Amino acid sequence: MLYYSPDQILTYNRPLNLVIGDRGVGKTFAITDLCMSAGCAINDEAFAWVRRYKEDLAPLKGTWWKDVQDVTGKYKGITFTSQKSQIMAKRADGKPFPIGSLMALTEYQRWKSVPHPHLKYIVFDEFMAEDTSKYLPNELQKWLNLIDSLMRMKSDVKIFMLSNSVTMANPYFEWLGLKGNDLGQGGFI
């Protein structure tokens, strides 16, 4: 089985990256690993992980990093925890430091005027809703406001929007002007 790797998409050096593919091919796993590596490398908050609703974040707290840590073996000697909305890392010989934040799009206004000086990645996981009634009122505007608040005139932040291939009917494709034949078949975009 072929698993997703962000290596190719990163070579394009684009600010906005859509990663859409079949369920279970490792999109979230690969981008989680990318974010964890970035945070551990700089010992500071390197990513913002966004889900639509606060309830969608609850299962991530306490386990978000576990699969990546276990499978890759890259994070030996590092303990990960969550404290409120932050993902923390701690090396055996040091004190805990934040590597990222978990954010609900429904609470986008909470992140106004909060500095993120070392932010490298913004990830919107499951941005396409399988049930179109799950989209928030004015969701696209809320997403754009959140991005604006997080980036604060930084030009080197990469945005990843992750989703299973579910439907072309969503506010993001409409905004980007994407149509079904723009996406190709059987791969990742």
Side-chain angles (χ1 to χ4, degrees):
M1 167 142 219
L2 174 67
Y3 290 100
Y4 177 74
S5 167
D7 294 347
Q8 181 67 39
I9 203 167
L10 289 170
T11 66
Y12 301 129
N13 200 30
R14 301 283 189 224
L16 177 61
N17 303 276
L18 301 180
V19 182
I20 302 167
D22 293 335
R23 189 178 313 274
V25 296
K27 301 173 299 291
T28 299
F29 181 96
I31 301 302
T32 298
D33 186 29
L34 180 73
C35 290
M36 288 171 64
S37 292
C40 289
I42 64 171
N43 291 350
D44 202 351
E45 183 183 41
F47 66 88
W49 197 273
V50 180
R51 295 291 297 264
R52 186 167 284 107
Y53 296 99
K54 189 174 183 177
E55 306 84 65
D56 297 335
L57 295 172
L60 303 179
K61 293 181 178 180
T63 62
W64 178 82
W65 54 85
K66 185 92 173 93
D67 286 344
V68 173
Q69 189 175 28
D70 290 347
V71 172
T72 66
K74 288 171 39 177
Y75 304 98
K76 292 189 185 321
I78 301 176
T79 303
F80 296 95
T81 59
S82 60
Q83 294 179 2
K84 296 185 182 180
S85 63
Q86 286 193 309
I87 302 295
M88 306 293 288
K90 180 182 181 286
R91 291 187 172 79
D93 59 350
K95 64 178 188 169
F97 55 92
I99 62 169
S101 293
L102 299 174
M103 302 177 179
L105 188 55
T106 53
E107 299 179 335
Y108 75 98
Q109 290 182 322
R110 175 178 169 214
W111 299 98
K112 289 181 178 182
S113 304
V114 177
H116 301 276
H118 304 291
L119 192 69
K120 291 183 63 151
Y121 303 114
I122 300 170
V123 181
F124 190 173
D125 193 15
E126 305 293 351
F127 80 93
M128 291 191 327
E130 291 185 33
D131 177 353
T132 56
S133 70
K134 297 291 184 188
Y135 288 108
L136 304 172
N138 302 313
E139 179 166 320
L140 178 62
Q141 191 58 52
K142 291 173 183 172
W143 170 237
L144 295 174
N145 286 343
L146 178 61
I147 290 170
D148 186 52
S149 293
L150 294 173
M151 291 181 68
R152 293 280 174 211
M153 299 175 49
K154 293 176 64 157
S155 61
D156 59 343
V157 175
K158 303 277 183 259
I159 300 165
F160 288 93
M161 296 176 71
L162 313 179
S163 183
N164 297 318
S165 300
V166 290
T167 178
M168 292 296 299
N170 68 73
Y172 301 97
F173 283 7
E174 184 178 324
W175 171 61
L176 293 167
L178 292 175
K179 299 183 180 18
N181 56 355
D182 295 332
L183 301 182
Q185 261 189 330
F188 301 98
I189 65 164

